[in-house]
Amino acid sequence: MKFEPEKRKKEPLILGIETSCDETAAAVIRGRTLLSDEIASSASIQAEYGGVVPEIASRMHLNAVDDVVARALERAGVVKESLDAVAVTYGAGLLGALLVGLSFAKGFAFGLDIPLIGVNHIRGHLAAAYLEDSSLTPPFFTLLASGGHTAFLYTETETRFRCLGGTVDDAAGEAFDKVARVLSLPYPGGPQIEALARQGNPVVPMPKMFKGEGGYRLSYSGLKTAVINYCHTKQQRGEAWNRADVAASFQRAALDILVRKTVEGALACGCSTVTAGGGVAANGYLREELKSACEKAGLRLVLPVRAHCTDNAAMIAAEGLLQYRAGNFSEFSLNARASIPLGTD
Ligand code: KG4
Ligand code: ZN
């Protein structure tokens, strides 16, 4: 879509919409200032099924999107006619769920005759840090840890980053969710493991989980298998075992490596600033460890609040702002995408 640079505002008013999974979210920002941040989650309904049922997620979005957007505008104290752009997640995620938000955003932007900005959900997670600290500017080093990705990134400019490496199999969040099932914990697994781990001690031996010293490659599938084997062996032998200790041991093994590689990576890249994003970055243990490791290494850490690590629309609006500034607007023919490889859009 064409939108002349001279028409672009310095501090645009942007509506962000997110419906890629089980959260219907809308937020309004003016420049980098967050004016409102609304969310309706179907997680408790999905929990009854042990995971996200795509059809249920789509229906929940359809029911909620109108209200959530209206609430976001009201709380921000703005009328829709004053918006400068609508940013919406177009991928990656559940197709039906994405289509609800994308179709809504298209109608909204078309009706108001303002630009549409299709946002890559993962770029949204990376952009959350910009809302946390208004002075944040690239370059910086980022730990991305969500349900689908676990990677270390070097951000060069507001719209360009390099992926340096990460997991070769499961993502960290995926490992939390799978181990939670083994421990008979409900969906979503990450927060459940975190809570259980607080009641235990990391005394169960866990395997090393990196592939080659010094690099950015790591693997979660071996760690997950080790937990499954430990639990099954104990059960078969009829031996007592402590679920909380297993949770604490898994959590430490899964997250210590991320903290270590992040600090090593930032120093190796000559970055003085570290950011983090994605649902796993909401984990209290990870946040504390990352804070103290960065402090020790003399690195500045910009860590989004927990609610901006898990799925939300503020981060989509924030990424929308970066794309707006770069003049990257979408056609109204934009389609939803179930997957977008990291760094390809
Ligand atoms: O970023 P996100 O909300 O959605 C994706 O884009 O994937 O991440 C969801 C993942 C889930 O696997 C969830 O279990 C994990 O983040 N997660 C956590 C915590 N909160 C969410 N993992 C560990 N500790 C948490 N507190
Ligand atoms: Zn996400």
Side-chain angles (χ1 to χ4, degrees):
M1 179 182 172
K2 277 219 162 73
F3 194 65
E4 301 78 33
E6 58 276 12
K7 278 198 187 162
R8 278 184 245 149
K9 293 189 183 159
K10 257 193 115 152
E11 302 267 284
L13 193 63
I14 298 181
L15 168 70
I17 299 176
E18 153 67 35
T19 64
S20 68
C21 192
D22 55 354
E23 256 94 34
T24 315
V28 178
I29 60 171
R30 188 186 303 278
R32 271 161 81 162
T33 306
L34 184 61
L35 303 183
S36 66
D37 194 7
E38 294 297 312
I39 193 158
S41 175
S42 65
S44 57
I45 294 161
Q46 307 282 3
E48 289 174 30
Y49 299 88
V52 179
V53 181
E55 185 59 26
I56 294 179
S58 309
R59 282 168 194 267
M60 299 294 293
H61 290 312
L62 263 180
N63 287 337
V65 69
D66 259 325
D67 273 0
V68 173
V69 168
R71 246 172 29 221
L73 291 168
E74 195 187 312
R75 295 258 159 95
V78 300
V79 290
K80 59 182 186 300
E81 289 75 16
S82 58
L83 290 170
D84 295 304
V86 180
V88 61
T89 309
Y90 75 99
L94 303 169
L95 271 183
L98 287 164
L99 280 170
V100 176
L102 182 58
S103 308
F104 185 94
K106 281 183 187 175
F108 218 72
F110 189 79
L112 293 167
D113 195 22
I114 54 175
L116 174 77
I117 305 172
V119 168
N120 173 344
H121 180 84
I122 290 301
R123 280 183 177 263
H125 277 303
L126 303 177
Y130 286 101
L131 293 178
E132 195 58 38
D133 182 336
S134 59
S135 69
L136 177 68
T137 43
F140 51 81
F141 191 91
T142 302
L143 164 64
L144 166 66
S146 69
H149 292 89
T150 299
F152 305 96
L153 312 167
Y154 176 75
T155 296
E156 288 168 311
T157 70
E158 287 188 351
T159 53
R160 201 170 61 237
F161 64 80
R162 259 186 301 137
C163 178
L164 304 170
T167 182
V168 294
D169 40 55
D170 291 355
E174 202 179 343
F176 269 84
D177 293 337
K178 287 177 178 168
V179 165
R181 276 174 183 256
V182 177
L183 298 177
S184 311
L185 295 167
Y187 168 87
Q192 298 283 338
I193 291 195
E194 181 183 349
L196 183 60
R198 262 186 249 120
Q199 300 159 34
N201 296 302
V203 292
V204 180
M206 291 286 151
K208 282 190 176 171
M209 43 171 311
F210 40 89
K211 297 258 171 190
E213 275 287 1
Y216 295 102
R217 284 157 65 85
L218 44 102
S219 157
Y220 278 100
S221 80
L223 181 62
K224 178 192 65 194
T225 310
V227 174
I228 294 171
N229 287 347
Y230 176 87
C231 300
H232 286 177
T233 307
K234 288 287 182 192
Q235 276 156 9
Q236 272 163 7
R237 290 187 186 156
E239 290 173 10
W241 58 287
N242 185 319
R243 283 164 73 245
D245 286 350
V246 173
S249 308
F250 162 77
Q251 177 172 266
R252 189 173 74 166
L255 301 180
D256 279 1
I257 182 92
L258 297 182
V259 174
R260 186 157 70 76
K261 296 262 173 208
T262 300
V263 170
E264 282 173 9
L267 295 174
C269 291
C271 287
S272 55
T273 302
V274 167
T275 72
V280 181
N283 182 283
Y285 174 84
L286 178 69
R287 297 172 76 85
E288 285 312 311
E289 293 296 308
L290 205 51
K291 269 180 208 159
S292 69
C294 284
E295 213 174 283
K296 259 190 218 143
L299 297 164
R300 166 185 172 227
L301 175 66
V302 179
L303 194 52
V305 291
R306 280 167 187 253
H308 289 168
C309 290
T310 48
D311 290 348
N312 66 91
M315 69 181 195
I316 302 304
E319 173 61 16
L321 172 66
L322 304 183
Q323 298 299 337
Y324 178 100
R325 281 188 185 153
N328 295 332
F329 301 105
S330 304
E331 300 292 339
F332 282 95
S333 57
L334 177 70
N335 209 349
R337 286 177 61 180
S339 74
I340 308 173
L342 201 56
T344 58
D345 68 323

